[in-house]
Amino acid sequence: MANVCSAGLDIGFASLSYAQIGFLGIVQGITELLPISSTAHMRVVPAFLGWHDPGSAFSAAMQLAALAAVISYFRRDVSAVTGGSLAAWRRRDFNDPMFKLAVAIILATIPIGIAGLALSHVLNACGSPLRSLSVIGWSCIVMAVLLAISEMVCRHRRSVDQMRLRDALIVGLAQVGALIPGVSRSGSTLTAALFLNFRREEAARFSFLLGLPAIALAGLKELAVLLHAHIPLEAWGVLLFGLVVASVSAFAAIWGLMKFLERFSTWPFIAYRAALGVFLLLAVSRGWLQ
């Protein structure tokens, strides 16, 4: 069995087979972009099956699969924001909607960038207390409650075109919560956007676009950390295989989520998160899972 800790870095994925990584890649890809927490599932599924925890390094590196899926699905939006903001900069037209959206995306990335760097030594450490099943269980329940409140009290009428810099900062601050396993980046940002009265499908679009830099930075940073940790060559093989599998499943997940939110509310995700959280706390207290 491969060593699951290298230079203090949690690399449990190195001890898993290609079949196990392929299965976890599917789970990671689906849950990464749904508001149900991929980190929670990366802890729960292996624990339930009796496998090694793939580790926080695996979850962070898999952000690149989510990045590929989001860019592919929102390629027109990404192209419009990139090209439009650069053209507006050259014209010095700082009131251009695409320029404002680009500034908003940058602004929303600052809080999680600072927090991620400050907490990286805790988040990626072997045996990090933040990855305990109890923490994940409570995070799932708290986020289920917040998402439920947003469904009950907010009007859901706004579109991304009506976004203000203040909205971006609020969603960016909410994104910091995703550093806590069980919270979910898409879940925290979607919930914040719903509280700002964005329509459900627009809240999801807003969430994904604002999360692009954070997803890219998290994934690339983790790859850099793994390079400096000198992990075994076979570990790189299973990691790359997981990335490919997760990219395909992530694209399917984002397509399904956007279609779903055009017609339905987030209540199924609320119920699922609450049930998962209660199950985890019960499982830990009864000794079913460790």
Side-chain angles (χ1 to χ4, degrees):
M1 182 180 296
N3 185 13
V4 298
C5 199
S6 178
L9 183 67
D10 189 355
I11 56 166
F13 67 89
S15 66
L16 300 176
S17 68
Y18 277 90
Q20 291 170 323
I21 284 293
F23 180 76
L24 292 179
I26 293 173
V27 175
Q28 169 78 24
I30 293 173
T31 58
E32 179 67 43
L33 296 178
L34 297 182
I36 54 176
S37 178
S38 61
T39 306
H41 289 79
M42 284 300 98
R43 281 287 287 116
V44 175
V45 172
F48 186 77
L49 296 175
W51 300 348
H52 272 300
D53 175 6
S56 58
F58 178 80
S59 298
M62 287 297 111
Q63 298 274 351
L64 295 178
L67 178 68
V70 173
I71 291 177
S72 297
Y73 189 88
F74 290 106
R75 56 190 178 278
R76 292 181 180 175
D77 293 273
V78 173
S79 178
V81 172
T82 304
S85 59
L86 290 175
W89 174 266
R90 288 193 293 268
R91 298 192 311 268
R92 296 294 188 267
D93 181 9
F94 303 129
N95 289 318
D96 182 89
M98 292 299 99
F99 180 82
K100 287 184 175 180
L101 183 55
V103 172
I105 291 172
I106 295 171
L107 181 65
T109 306
I110 294 174
I112 195 170
I114 295 173
L117 288 174
L119 298 174
S120 61
H121 65 289
V122 176
L123 296 170
N124 294 337
C126 294
S128 172
L130 289 179
R131 287 180 65 84
S132 72
L133 293 176
S134 296
V135 169
I136 293 172
W138 281 113
S139 297
C140 285
I141 292 172
V142 169
M143 287 307 302
V145 171
L146 291 175
L147 191 53
I149 294 173
S150 74
E151 281 288 359
M152 291 186 292
V153 306
C154 301
R155 297 188 296 273
H156 312 309
R157 296 174 181 172
R158 300 175 64 197
S159 68
V160 172
D161 296 336
Q162 298 171 303
M163 183 275 308
R164 299 165 299 201
L165 291 181
R166 184 183 66 182
D167 300 326
L169 182 58
I170 292 172
V171 176
L173 289 171
Q175 191 171 221
V176 174
L179 295 174
I180 302 173
V183 170
S184 166
R185 195 207 65 80
S186 59
S188 61
T189 54
L190 176 66
T191 301
L194 289 176
F195 269 113
L196 293 169
N197 293 314
F198 284 90
R199 295 196 302 272
R200 295 179 184 89
E201 71 277 13
E202 289 290 283
R205 179 181 167 216
F206 192 17
S207 165
F208 289 133
L209 290 176
L210 262 64
L212 279 174
I215 294 173
L217 290 172
L220 293 173
K221 174 184 175 297
E222 201 57 44
L223 285 183
V225 171
L226 290 173
L227 281 170
H228 283 90
H230 303 294
I231 65 174
L233 185 60
E234 58 269 24
W236 282 110
V238 294
L239 181 63
L240 292 175
F241 178 69
L243 277 169
V244 173
V245 174
S247 296
V248 176
S249 58
F251 185 88
I254 194 171
W255 178 86
L257 178 64
M258 296 303 293
K259 296 297 181 184
F260 182 88
L261 293 179
E262 287 174 2
R263 301 181 58 189
F264 305 105
S265 71
T266 62
W267 281 106
F269 300 112
I270 294 169
Y272 179 81
R273 289 191 66 114
L276 177 61
V278 171
F279 167 75
L280 286 177
L281 294 179
L282 184 63
V284 171
S285 65
R286 296 293 180 87
W288 302 338
L289 294 174
Q290 298 180 356

